[in-house]
Amino acid sequence: MDLSRHLRYFIVTAEELHFGRAAEIIGIAQPPLSQSIQRLERELGVTLFDRSRRRAELTTAGRLLLDEARDLLAREQRLRTLMRKAADGTLGTLRAGVPPETPAVSLQALSRRLDEEVPELDVDLQELTTAEQLRLLASGHLDVGLVHHPVEAADLRFGPAVDVPLGVVLPRASPLARLREVEFGDLAGHGLILAPRATAPGWHDHVLEVCRKHGFTPSALRHARNPEFLLGLVLGGHGVAFEQEAMARREPRVAWRPLADRPLLRSVSAAWPADTAHPAAPRFASIAANVVAADHVPSPPVAPVMSRPWSVVYTANR
């Protein structure tokens, strides 16, 4: 029995107190309407209308049912709306991972855009490395994450990728900070501070391969997971780091200079399980890509304080 349909027919008939007019409003013939009301009466074991008079009247049971039927159909509509929103990914909870080095302004912009576009969706942002995100995505404990490529995972889907240009993070007092841009040759004799390979194996290997191709062999390799620790190692003279410009804004005593010819681009995109995709994952991927792209519009070039004299190269190799 289609209870909802029979209740809708009953409500219209109870409001009109006339089977003919009710049938016209509903858009059916009067006999099927009468049959529907009779079936509802048999199902509930009561008489809903007093048909002994020229004008149909509600019985006591009919009056009681009218309010209950309206409430029941309203709750059914609310339930259907909630389920539709859940299926569309606009309601519920989305567990999303973001890299530890994500700038605060990017997180703010991401949160604001999500609040604007999917205000009823609770987005649980978690600070996780690429490797941690991949493990949690595979185990079902994360719905979507922003990962650093290259990533080899056949069971994942990926959103739009954004290439983030990386430059050199170095002490502001370094002679290299006086240059408009830095070449790999200028870094000879310097150590390199890099995230541990376990956090993003593909990206870690890619950085070292780019260094090798451009003739830069770090004098030492140190690892830093946390941005603050990385900046501390840079200030302590333990090496330089290849990071996005926003990283250097956290610490006024460091500088960021672009690499000549932009040889290092960090590709970032959202990833989510292909078989158990959260309906909000593609929307998150699109919003995140727009935020990351907007956050990495190149800054105006730094005016050189000095040309590239031999003394700078000498100091770097000292």
Side-chain angles (χ1 to χ4, degrees):
M1 177 182 178
D2 187 350
L3 180 61
S4 296
R5 178 169 60 86
H6 292 302
L7 287 177
R8 286 195 296 270
Y9 288 2
F10 164 74
I11 290 173
V12 175
T13 306
E15 291 172 344
E16 295 297 320
L17 293 177
H18 192 284
F19 280 78
R21 288 196 302 270
E24 291 179 4
I25 292 173
I26 296 170
I28 62 174
Q30 183 172 335
L33 173 61
S34 298
Q35 293 170 8
S36 174
I37 299 299
Q38 291 169 3
R39 183 172 182 183
L40 182 61
E41 289 176 325
R42 289 196 301 270
E43 183 72 22
L44 298 178
V46 295
T47 299
L48 299 173
F49 291 95
D50 182 357
R51 300 173 176 83
S52 64
R53 304 176 185 180
R54 294 181 59 185
R55 183 173 182 267
E57 296 288 345
L58 285 171
T59 63
T60 300
R63 288 192 294 271
L64 290 172
L65 178 62
L66 183 58
D67 289 337
E68 293 295 330
R70 286 168 174 162
D71 182 61
L72 178 61
L73 292 182
R75 282 184 286 157
E76 180 193 29
Q77 183 58 43
R78 181 175 180 272
L79 176 63
R80 292 182 182 276
T81 300
L82 289 175
M83 294 303 99
R84 184 178 66 254
K85 289 182 177 181
D88 293 342
T90 57
L91 188 69
T93 300
L94 178 72
R95 300 164 299 177
V98 293
E101 71 277 3
T102 305
V105 291
S106 296
L107 287 174
Q108 180 188 29
L110 179 60
S111 297
R112 184 176 63 250
R113 287 284 303 277
L114 290 167
D115 287 341
E116 292 172 352
E117 297 193 23
V118 280
E120 295 181 286
L121 182 67
D122 178 22
V123 182
D124 177 17
L125 291 177
Q126 304 176 31
E127 183 186 39
L128 299 164
T129 67
T130 291
E132 290 170 337
Q133 291 183 49
L134 295 178
R135 286 196 296 270
L136 292 175
L137 287 169
S139 65
H141 291 88
L142 195 68
D143 299 313
V144 64
L146 280 177
V147 299
H148 297 161
H149 292 273
V151 170
E152 295 183 5
D155 55 346
L156 292 180
R157 292 181 181 175
F158 298 96
V162 177
D163 289 334
V164 179
L166 301 188
V168 184
V169 179
L170 40 80
R172 189 167 293 278
S174 169
L176 295 180
R178 303 176 185 179
L179 302 176
R180 181 188 299 270
E181 59 183 23
V182 176
E183 296 180 358
F184 274 97
D186 300 323
L187 300 176
H190 286 78
L192 178 62
I193 303 165
L194 190 61
R197 188 178 187 277
T199 63
W203 171 247
H204 184 279
D205 295 346
H206 174 69
V207 171
L208 294 182
E209 178 63 16
V210 171
C211 290
R212 186 191 64 78
K213 286 183 178 180
H214 289 79
F216 171 44
T217 302
S219 61
L221 187 63
R222 295 180 182 270
H223 294 120
R225 287 173 50 100
N226 184 281
E228 297 302 322
F229 187 62
L230 181 147
L231 293 172
L233 291 179
V234 170
L235 288 174
H238 296 289
V240 299
F242 298 129
E243 275 297 340
Q244 58 202 53
E245 186 176 4
M247 174 74 76
R249 299 182 193 140
R250 304 187 184 203
E251 171 53 64
R253 292 171 294 177
V254 303
W256 183 91
R257 294 295 178 264
L259 282 165
D261 301 324
R262 290 162 52 106
L264 266 179
L265 296 173
R266 182 157 59 202
S267 184
V268 181
S269 80
W272 63 93
D275 295 334
T276 58
H278 190 291
R283 184 188 293 263
F284 176 88
S286 177
I287 294 174
N290 290 333
V291 168
V292 172
D295 191 56
H296 294 288
V297 175
S299 300
V302 178
V305 177
M306 60 181 291
S307 60
R308 188 185 297 277
W310 67 269
S311 59
V312 173
V313 178
Y314 174 81
T315 302
N317 285 277
R318 187 170 59 188

